[in-house]
Amino acid sequence: MKKIIIVAVTVIACLCMAPVTEAATLDEVKELVALYYYGEKPATIQKARTIDEIIRQLDEYSVYMTPAEYKEYLEQYASAGTVRQVASTVPPVDNGKNVQSHMMYGNTGYLKIKTFSAHLLEDVTDHWGKLKAQGAQKLVVDLRFNGGGYVESAEQLLGFFPKVKDAYKLKTRTGIESAQAIPAKNKFPDKTYVLVNRFSASASEIVAVSVMDQKAAVVVGEKTKGKGSVQSLFELENGGALKLTTGHYTGPKGTPVHHKGVEPSVQMRPGTELTGLHKRLITDELTSKSYRQLKGPSNVSKQKVFNVRFTQPMDFGSAKSFDKMELIKFGGVSIPVTKKQVNDKTMMIHPVKLMQPDAEYMLVIHPGIQSVKGPSVKYGTFTTYKVQPAKTK
């Protein structure tokens, strides 16, 4: 009988306490919204009887997480702390492969950032250090399909750009705040290019609009998503959390982003941003060195063999050591080829592997090839080729 009474009392206590806890959480959420929410003020917030009623009156990026949902969120995405600003359309995941890099032809480094994770500073420092050690003098920072992440990580990335001092301006309920970039020791080159597309959002757009406002990099691609709002994470007394839009950001010079997006200074068709930029960089560099462009055939076979013919007999020397011709894949490096002298006027270039369907390549003939009669080739030439797309069944 005693046990039954204890159980009964416990049940009654829980039933009595539950509405009080829910009411307290509801009041807490109302207060946070009233104090910090940036956007059109909800008309009936004080009359709302549930948290869901409040959330439905806010923007799409403001959400309530139950204690269980918030615990899962912390385990997967966040670090401890009562308030942390997030500018993201998706949770900033860090799985160890968030940053990738490789070298491209022309002493150009490539740095791909998937999200603005908590460890972005360390990852970018490591990858940029390796690229610089490999001779990178130009850099492409790829923010395509990057939905954002932590605002502090955007401030850290902006600190790598030599000409950036201010990160952005943030409009909140209390006024306009100016945020500074966090200086990095190992700066990016002056010739840095930022790739964006329609899926680049939030923290990605902070970086894009900031470098454009300060002429710190060239932004390439298509107009970004236009998600110019910042969310702060508030822990609640019940163990849950409220992710709330607390401000809208602009570029350091006031360039708006929210619902407008960032318009790149160099427009590229979707899917061609990297190869198109790389092609432009190589072409500009070669033409500045008096190379001449020759028109080549389009839609070549992936098994294409290049026969380079000269108007007079040439002294090619050993085909094995002949280094005056190279085949470049845009977005990559010089690809391995075999060389064979066909006759005294013709050198054959054969890619070791099949070329990639629908990709673009450039064949470069460097000056200095000696003719049999003595004079050497004075000007270099280059020709671009588009490989046929893969056949569909």
Side-chain angles (χ1 to χ4, degrees), residues 43-168:
T44 60
I45 184 174
Q46 295 303 326
K47 296 180 181 179
R49 295 182 179 182
T50 66
I51 295 175
D52 285 343
E53 285 184 39
I54 297 174
I55 297 300
R56 284 196 294 268
Q57 298 180 58
L58 308 181
D59 67 3
E60 60 188 298
Y61 305 110
S62 296
V63 297
Y64 166 71
M65 288 179 275
T66 64
E69 291 170 338
Y70 184 48
K71 181 180 179 182
E72 183 179 356
Y73 176 88
L74 287 176
E75 290 173 351
Q76 294 185 35
Y77 310 121
S79 60
T82 54
V83 180
R84 185 163 194 171
Q85 282 188 332
V86 181
S88 178
T89 57
V90 294
V93 182
D94 190 349
N95 58 9
K97 297 181 180 179
N98 185 48
V99 177
Q100 299 172 351
S101 64
H102 64 261
M103 284 295 293
M104 299 192 299
Y105 184 85
N107 295 322
T108 302
Y110 171 80
L111 194 68
K112 170 69 175 177
I113 300 174
K114 294 182 179 180
T115 66
F116 284 80
S117 68
H119 303 289
L120 186 65
L121 175 61
E122 294 85 350
D123 292 340
V124 171
T125 299
D126 179 55
H127 281 267
W128 170 231
K130 292 176 181 177
L131 289 173
K132 196 172 182 180
Q134 294 176 66
Q137 297 174 4
K138 296 185 286 289
L139 180 66
V140 177
V141 179
D142 193 347
L143 299 181
R144 292 175 298 170
F145 302 99
N146 186 322
Y150 296 121
V151 174
E152 183 180 4
S153 297
E155 295 167 0
Q156 291 169 342
L157 181 64
L158 285 166
F160 284 90
F161 293 85
K163 296 179 181 178
V164 169
K165 293 183 179 179
D166 301 315
Y168 55 90

Side-chain angles (χ1 to χ4, degrees), residues 302-368:
K302 60 183 179 181
Q303 296 103 347
K304 170 74 176 175
V305 175
F306 301 88
N307 287 299
V308 182
R309 296 184 179 89
F310 292 81
T311 57
Q312 56 183 300
M314 306 299 293
D315 182 11
F316 294 115
S318 170
K320 186 176 182 180
S321 60
F322 184 73
D323 61 356
K324 294 297 184 180
M325 300 178 188
E326 55 185 335
L327 188 62
I328 303 160
K329 181 177 182 293
F330 293 130
V333 295
S334 294
I335 66 172
V337 296
T338 57
K339 300 157 191 169
K340 180 181 178 181
Q341 183 174 341
V342 179
N343 53 49
D344 60 359
K345 293 183 179 180
T346 307
M347 177 66 77
M348 182 184 73
I349 306 296
H350 191 290
V352 172
K353 295 182 179 180
L354 296 178
M355 291 188 291
Q356 182 181 333
D358 216 27
E360 273 196 283
Y361 293 78
M362 176 184 281
L363 179 65
V364 181
I365 315 299
H366 295 292

Side-chain angles (χ1 to χ4, degrees), residues 19-34:
V20 175
T21 303
E22 290 176 5
T25 303
L26 180 63
D27 289 340
E28 191 177 4
V29 170
K30 287 180 179 179
E31 184 178 3
L32 289 171
V33 171

